[in-house]
Amino acid sequence: MTFEDLAYTRTPQNRMPGRRGDVAWVASQQARPDMRVIPIWRDRCLVDEGRPVEIAGSAAHAVLRASPESVLLGLEEEKPVFAADLSELDEGDALRACGAQASADVRKLVPVLPSPQAATLAYARGLLHWNRHTRFCGSCGAATRAVQAGHVRVCTAESCGRQMFPRIEPAVIVLVQSSEPEPRCLLARHHGAGPDGFSLLAGFVEIGEGLEAAVRREVAEEAGVAVGEVAYRGSQGWPFPAGLMVGFTAHAMSEAITVDGEELMEARWFHRAEIVERITSGPGPGPEDSIGGRLLRTWAGA
């Protein structure tokens, strides 16, 4: 297994960074008859018969007019793709505006979607979420306005004028392996998880900290396990709402566990055969769309 085909990682659009600051050009793209719009309602996709709705033609222009916030995702096969935020509407009104039957979590749709489409929906969700939650300047409190076709926001106060860019929150996730000859991996049950809800250790990167240092700190803080060698395996965009998951493997220097009692309820070591059993008939190694699940499947050879 590789880490190049993870969900939410590769969007098919040319994001047009060199043109999206041109207001006239963006307006011309909105006016094109081959333009299409992806509607999002309060971070949820709108679906019809279980499939995401995308609006084209004259209906797409109507949806853009109904949205107080829309963003240019880019050009796909030279055709413009926008995302429209309908969160200010009631759900029923949003559904009727788009000819949809229901709203759905993006992650619930992944099993039935091609990877590029899933990545596009997550991209639209994340960018609209950021715009909706960055309506005021964090420095002076004045209102902000979108520029760069929704990829930048600017404070409207003349005395401030601060530019704000979409926030990305990097987090590390790590598969910790014990020493040979019988390798085992470390899984933990976090607060709020079910009785058998074990998963890999993960945590946000702190200010002034490298990724490898974050791995060592998180594992030591939460499980009391010191790790030596740390190796990068891959990364995954995780716009729920603004994450970037960076995956690692690491080797434990000791198998002694002391959970912190705050983040973790318990942690223990699992043999490969146990992980395979969890994949085939148990609660599973982690969601199919996550880098954590991929790390575990790769380690188990499943």
Side-chain angles (χ1 to χ4, degrees), residues 129-145:
H129 178 96
W130 173 76
N131 273 277
R132 193 167 68 253
H133 291 272
T134 317
R135 293 182 176 178
F136 297 93
C137 177
S139 296
C140 72
T144 64
R145 63 181 179 88

Side-chain angles (χ1 to χ4, degrees), residues 168-173 202-218 243-248:
I168 304 296
E169 300 170 345
V172 295
I173 184 165
F204 288 106
V205 180
E206 296 186 352
I207 291 176
E209 184 175 56
L211 297 173
E212 292 82 0
V215 168
R216 293 187 171 93
R217 175 184 52 76
E218 284 288 343
L244 172 67
M245 300 300 296
V246 188
F248 292 87

Side-chain angles (χ1 to χ4, degrees), residues 12-13 34-40 45-48 51-57 59-61 63 73 76 79-84 97-100 109 113-114 116-122 124:
Q13 295 84 23
D34 58 355
M35 177 269 293
R36 74 180 200 268
V37 173
I38 297 171
I40 301 288
C45 295
L46 303 186
V47 298
D48 185 36
R51 307 290 297 188
V53 169
E54 293 189 6
I55 315 296
H61 298 102
V63 169
L73 300 180
E76 185 175 343
K79 299 175 183 178
V81 183
F82 288 82
C98 300
L109 300 172
L113 297 180
Q117 188 177 11
T120 297
L121 292 173

Side-chain angles (χ1 to χ4, degrees), residues 39-81:
I40 301 288
W41 179 79
R42 300 180 188 177
D43 297 334
R44 294 171 66 84
C45 295
L46 303 186
V47 298
D48 185 36
E49 297 184 351
R51 307 290 297 188
V53 169
E54 293 189 6
I55 315 296
S58 59
H61 298 102
V63 169
L64 280 185
R65 288 193 296 271
S67 169
E69 294 282 358
S70 62
V71 297
L72 173 67
L73 300 180
L75 301 186
E76 185 175 343
E77 297 180 348
E78 301 305 317
K79 299 175 183 178
V81 183

Side-chain angles (χ1 to χ4, degrees), residues 18 20 23 40 60 63 67-68 101 111 119 121 135 137 142 150 160 165 168 176 204-205 227 268 273 278 293 296:
R20 64 193 185 205
V23 175
I40 301 288
V63 169
S67 169
Q101 295 177 333
L121 292 173
R135 293 182 176 178
C137 177
C160 181
F165 298 86
I168 304 296
V176 181
F204 288 106
V205 180
V227 300
R268 68 182 182 89
R278 292 172 71 83
L296 271 168

Side-chain angles (χ1 to χ4, degrees), residues 258-278:
T258 306
V259 297
D260 63 358
E262 296 180 2
E263 293 282 342
L264 303 185
M265 295 289 289
E266 61 178 314
R268 68 182 182 89
W269 297 98
F270 287 76
H271 291 283
R272 276 198 170 95
E274 293 179 277
I275 298 300
V276 172
E277 173 66 19
R278 292 172 71 83

